[in-house]
């Protein structure tokens, strides 16, 4: 098998194993909002699960800021700050 064929096969598999973004109901969104508020007020560390078409990504850190107008939240950890789109958040749990 040629390297070009192998690359195309990998790309084909990735495209056909994409996961659809789950729709979050109103109750789950309210729970996420409450967890964000509580974690931010108490400066707790959280684990944020993010949607990715191929695999769920997780980030860990403290919520430093929430920008509702831009739809983002800012996570701070030892590696620095990361802005996360709120629309990509699937779940948040306090560590």
């Amino acid at each position: 098998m040629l390297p070009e064929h192998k690359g195309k096969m990998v790309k084909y598999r990735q495209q056909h194993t994409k996961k659809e973004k789950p729709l979050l109901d109103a109750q789950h969104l309210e729970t996420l909002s409450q967890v964000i508020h509580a974690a931010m007020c108490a400066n707790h560390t959280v684990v944020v699960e993010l949607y990715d078409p191929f695999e769920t990504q997780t980030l860990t850190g403290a919520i430093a800021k929430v920008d509702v107008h831009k739809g983002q939240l800012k996570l701070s950890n030892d590696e620095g700050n990361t802005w996360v789109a709120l629309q990509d958040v699937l779940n948040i749990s306090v560590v």
Side-chain angles (χ1 to χ4, degrees):
M1 181 180 300
L2 296 173
E4 302 88 42
H5 294 140
K6 185 175 180 181
K8 285 184 180 182
M9 284 179 58
V10 169
K11 187 174 182 179
Y12 176 83
R13 285 186 190 137
Q14 285 179 340
Q15 289 176 342
H16 286 79
T17 58
K18 284 185 179 179
K19 296 184 296 185
E20 287 190 33
K21 184 175 180 181
L23 294 175
L24 304 179
D25 63 358
Q27 183 177 2
H28 187 71
L29 292 173
E30 180 64 30
T31 302
L32 290 176
S33 177
Q34 291 172 356
V35 171
I36 289 170
H37 177 73
M40 198 168 156
C41 288
N43 200 28
H44 288 298
T45 301
V46 294
V47 175
V48 180
E49 293 180 27
L50 300 171
Y51 169 75
D52 183 89
F54 302 108
E55 61 184 45
T56 302
Q57 297 180 357
T58 57
L59 295 174
T60 304
I63 300 173
K65 183 177 182 178
V66 177
D67 189 339
V68 179
H69 298 292
K70 290 184 180 179
Q72 298 178 332
L73 67 87
K74 183 178 181 180
L75 280 178
S76 296
N77 56 26
D78 295 338
E79 298 171 2
N81 298 321
T82 305
W83 284 96
V84 175
L86 289 171
Q87 67 184 11
D88 292 339
V89 174
L90 298 176
N91 199 17
I92 298 177
S93 56
V94 178
V95 179

